[in-house]
């Protein structure tokens, strides 16, 4: 834990200007296992100052040089892969097998996708006698969440490096240790001083300061819609660019021609993955009304295969939620489902049998969910699935779209042309047909209150660029 109490500023691990610490809780034990330092506005000022000083030279580095940096970061990342997986497992409770196969893997494959996109990316080109030049936007503030730490860190840091931006990263204070490991990777990769900086701290004391800071040209934020609104308001006075990936309440429409057993089973797995703590999880399952009862039994059987327990046990499928706050929120929403008259198919209130500590939640399925119920409207962020019967395809599409969110949607069908047609009707940034593999080259981002901007590969690179037209440049 030599760097747990340090920030990374100007190419070195440094102490905060004002000593203050915060416990990091292991959600499987509910006990603190380390501490981090938490920053203040003065620490943000220091990090922004060195990032601004480093920007002019870094912005002018050749594309090949920045590409080589990304490849070196990936090389060191792969060397520290197990350290990353263990850090994520301990800080957010992910089963170690899942931390290796999904959490650490996500950072790896997003770095690979950015490298491939950068190799093919054209930063300037002619349009008649005008030269179109894409330039780095400047100093960027990167604020990342606790639920997919490396996924989001890499989805922001990699395109920032690719474009020639300098940056200040604030990982979630709830799951900060993987971010410190990532800073060690950046240091070992030899990234120039001042290009990458990390300040830990809370949202109000560091995140909002970054969003409002006149020395930061853009903020890229991933987190809740509530916090995203605060970031956007804080950024407004300096008219900086704000890219946001926020909450979701994604619909999963199982069409009448789908293989019901396969579609419901996969839908349960998609909803429960990462203990339900994914912003694009398919949490609202729409099934044909005449097959609703059958769907509930399939969902029950699928849910009961998800073993909840110790993240270090090899047979654990779902670990705990990340915090007491999340546990209490999910319990409140499960209770609302019961109180508002949804059918509790499996799961429910309290911890699973045999678990008397840790923020563990029973994998829960509700049937007969009505569109107006709280569990159909609010983002739950736990292993809780709502199944809604529909009488017509038009009704399913209308209700799928009737939400403030628009991050993702899902369709299951044995008729690909039919699924494609329904996909065009859904107001969401990503529509998944028949549970495809994760595509790190597809655009990722939301409609409506799920945010703005897009991440992954070249889509993320574009977000960090300004566009200049040099008119009269000539042929």
């Amino acid at each position: 834990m030599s760097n747990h109490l340090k920030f990374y500023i100007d190419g070195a691990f440094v102490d905060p200007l004002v000593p203050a610490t915060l416990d990091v809780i292991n959600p499987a034990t509910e006990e603190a296992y380390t501490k981090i330092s938490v920053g203040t506005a003065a620490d943000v000022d220091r990090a922004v100052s060195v990032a601004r000083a480093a920007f002019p030279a870094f912005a002018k580095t050749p594309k090949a040089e920045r590409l080589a940096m990304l490849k070196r970061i990936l090389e060191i990342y792969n060397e520290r892969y197990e350290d990353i997986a263990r850090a994520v497992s301990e800080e957010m409770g992910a089963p170690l097998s899942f931390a290796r196969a999904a959490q650490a893997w996500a950072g790896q494959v997003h770095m690979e996708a950015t490298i491939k996109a950068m190799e093919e990316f054209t930063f300037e080109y002619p349009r008649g006698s005008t030269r179109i030049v894409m330039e780095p936007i400047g100093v960027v503030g990167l604020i990342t969440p606790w639920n997919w730490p490396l996924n989001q860190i890499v989805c922001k840091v990699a395109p920032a490096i690719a474009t020639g931006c300098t940056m200040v990263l604030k990982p979630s204070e709830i799951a900060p240790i993987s971010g410190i490991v990532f800073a060690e990777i950046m240091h070992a990769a030899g990234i120039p001083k001042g290009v990458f900086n990390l300040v830990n701290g809370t949202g109000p004391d560091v995140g909002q300061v970054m969003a409002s800071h006149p020395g930061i040209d853009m903020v890229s934020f991933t987190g809740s819609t509530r916090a995203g609104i605060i970031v956007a308001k804080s950024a407004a006075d300096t008219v900086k660019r704000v890219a946001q990936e926020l909450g979701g309440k994604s619909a999963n429409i199982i069409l009448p021609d789908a293989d019901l057993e396969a579609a419901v089973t996969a839908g349960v797995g998609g909803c429960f993955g990462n203990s339900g703590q994914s912003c694009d999880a398919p949490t609202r399952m729409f099934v044909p009304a005449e097959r609703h009862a059958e769907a509930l039994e399939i969902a029950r059987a699928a849910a009961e295969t998800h073993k909840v327990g110790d993240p270090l046990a090899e047979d654990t499928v779902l670990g705990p939620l990340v915090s007491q706050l999340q546990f209490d929120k999910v319990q409140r929403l499960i209770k609302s489902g019961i109180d508002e008259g949804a059918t509790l198919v499996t799961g429910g209130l309290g911890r699973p049998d045999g678990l008397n500590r840790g923020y563990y939640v029973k994998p829960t399925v509700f049937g007969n969910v009505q569109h107006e119920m709280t569990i159909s409207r609010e983002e739950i962020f736990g292993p809780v699935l709502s199944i809604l019967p529909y009488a017509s395809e038009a009704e399913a599409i209308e209700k799928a779209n009737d939400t403030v969110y628009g991050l993702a949607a899902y369709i299951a069908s044995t008729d690909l042309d039919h699924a494609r047609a329904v996909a065009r009707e859904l107001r969401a940034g990503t529509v998944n047909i028949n549970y495809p593999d994760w595509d790190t080259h597809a655009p990722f981002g939301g409609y409506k209150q799920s945010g703005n901007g897009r991440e992954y590969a070249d889509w993320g690179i574009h977000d960090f660029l300004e566009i200049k037209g040099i008119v009269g440049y000539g042929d």
Side-chain angles (χ1 to χ4, degrees), residues 337-355:
I338 296 168
D339 292 347
E340 292 176 23
T343 300
L344 181 62
V345 178
T346 188
L349 292 167
R351 293 183 179 87
D353 292 344
L355 296 170

Side-chain angles (χ1 to χ4, degrees), residues 192-470:
K193 290 182 179 180
V195 169
F196 171 85
N197 305 277
L198 179 148
V199 177
N200 274 315
T202 65
D205 291 338
V206 174
Q208 277 180 252
V209 173
M210 288 168 58
S212 64
H213 202 290
I216 288 180
D217 301 295
M218 170 186 169
V219 174
S220 179
F221 171 83
T222 299
S224 69
T225 297
R226 177 195 59 79
I229 291 167
I230 295 170
V231 166
K233 288 180 176 179
S234 299
D237 287 345
T238 49
V239 199
K240 59 171 58 73
R241 184 182 299 174
V242 180
Q244 299 181 316
E245 191 264 286
L246 306 175
K249 191 70 181 175
S250 300
N252 181 9
I253 300 177
I254 298 179
L255 293 171
D257 59 16
D259 178 332
L260 190 70
E261 180 150 5
V264 171
T265 300
V268 170
C271 177
F272 288 176
N274 204 37
S275 296
Q277 299 171 127
S278 296
C279 46
D280 61 343
T283 53
R284 292 185 296 149
M285 181 182 287
F286 290 86
V287 300
E290 65 274 14
R291 303 193 71 183
H292 176 258
E294 185 183 353
L296 297 193
E297 289 311 308
I298 296 167
R300 181 204 310 274
E304 290 173 359
T305 67
H306 286 71
K307 184 177 186 301
V308 181
D310 181 357
L312 298 179
E314 289 186 7
D315 61 344
T316 293
V317 178
L318 303 180
L321 300 184
V322 76
S323 67
Q324 184 72 54
L325 187 69
Q326 287 300 122
F327 178 85
D328 291 344
K329 175 190 174 186
V330 172
Q331 294 298 305
R332 172 180 64 79
L333 286 164
I334 291 173
K335 185 174 186 301
S336 81
I338 296 168
D339 292 347
E340 292 176 23
T343 300
L344 181 62
V345 178
T346 188
L349 292 167
R351 293 183 179 87
D353 292 344
L355 296 170
N356 56 16
R357 69 170 182 167
Y359 307 123
Y360 295 100
V361 171
K362 295 176 183 176
T364 296
V365 175
F366 283 105
N368 287 302
V369 175
Q370 302 304 305
H371 184 55
E372 304 76 22
M373 288 181 178
T374 305
I375 56 172
S376 180
R377 310 299 294 180
E378 285 192 29
E379 185 176 40
I380 298 174
F381 236 59
V384 181
L385 175 64
S386 297
I387 300 181
L388 297 86
Y390 67 87
S392 69
E393 182 177 299
E395 178 195 353
I397 292 169
E398 179 186 1
K399 289 180 176 177
N401 286 333
D402 183 21
T403 170
V404 297
Y405 299 112
L407 187 58
Y410 299 75
I411 301 166
S413 174
T414 55
D415 182 341
L416 186 57
D417 286 339
H418 187 192
R420 288 169 173 167
V422 174
R424 293 181 182 276
E425 299 296 320
L426 297 176
R427 299 287 294 169
T430 303
V431 181
N432 300 276
I433 295 176
N434 291 329
Y435 310 104
D437 291 338
W438 196 345
D439 184 353
T440 55
H441 292 270
F444 186 77
Y447 287 24
K448 300 185 279 187
Q449 291 186 30
S450 288
N452 50 68
R454 293 295 181 269
E455 294 185 316
Y456 295 11
D458 54 312
W459 307 100
I461 290 173
H462 278 289
D463 262 12
F464 288 84
L465 290 169
E466 287 284 25
I467 303 170
K468 176 184 288 182
I470 306 178

Side-chain angles (χ1 to χ4, degrees), residues 73-230:
I73 294 166
L74 177 60
E75 181 183 342
I76 305 296
Y77 187 101
N78 290 339
E79 291 174 5
R80 298 291 306 272
Y81 194 95
E82 182 66 12
D83 295 334
I84 291 165
R86 288 188 175 275
V88 171
S89 180
E90 197 165 24
E91 69 191 2
M92 65 151 305
L96 185 56
S97 57
F98 183 82
R100 289 175 178 140
Q103 291 278 359
W105 171 86
Q108 179 189 63
V109 294
H110 280 301
M111 189 65 74
E112 292 170 348
T114 304
I115 288 168
K116 184 175 189 300
M118 190 184 178
E119 287 172 338
E120 300 169 356
F121 201 90
T122 301
F123 285 91
E124 60 176 89
Y125 55 90
R127 177 172 289 184
S129 63
T130 295
R131 192 75 174 172
I132 307 299
V133 181
M134 298 188 189
E135 299 179 340
I137 194 169
V139 176
V140 295
L142 312 176
I143 304 173
T144 56
W146 49 261
N147 61 320
W148 284 93
L150 273 302
N151 184 84
Q152 290 310 130
I153 288 173
V154 173
C155 279
K156 298 181 192 307
V157 172
I161 294 287
T163 54
C165 293
T166 59
M167 67 207 77
V168 180
L169 168 67
K170 189 201 93 67
S172 169
E173 70 276 20
I174 298 170
I177 304 306
S178 57
I180 293 170
V181 175
F182 188 83
E184 293 170 352
I185 290 167
M186 297 294 279
H187 183 77
I191 303 306
K193 290 182 179 180
V195 169
F196 171 85
N197 305 277
L198 179 148
V199 177
N200 274 315
T202 65
D205 291 338
V206 174
Q208 277 180 252
V209 173
M210 288 168 58
S212 64
H213 202 290
I216 288 180
D217 301 295
M218 170 186 169
V219 174
S220 179
F221 171 83
T222 299
S224 69
T225 297
R226 177 195 59 79
I229 291 167
I230 295 170

Side-chain angles (χ1 to χ4, degrees), residues 7 9 16-20 37-47 199-202 204-207 209-210 213:
F7 301 152
I9 298 175
L17 293 172
V18 178
S37 291
V38 287
T40 62
D43 297 295
V44 176
D45 286 343
R46 179 167 57 155
V199 177
N200 274 315
T202 65
D205 291 338
V206 174
V209 173
M210 288 168 58
H213 202 290

Side-chain angles (χ1 to χ4, degrees), residues 1-6 21-26 29 31-37 87 90-91 173-178 180 200:
M1 63 173 286
S2 59
N3 290 320
H4 289 190
L5 295 173
K6 305 283 189 181
T21 62
L22 181 71
D23 286 340
V24 182
I25 306 298
N26 181 329
T29 65
E31 295 175 356
Y33 70 95
T34 190
K35 294 178 183 290
I36 57 164
S37 291
E90 197 165 24
E91 69 191 2
E173 70 276 20
I174 298 170
I177 304 306
S178 57
I180 293 170
N200 274 315

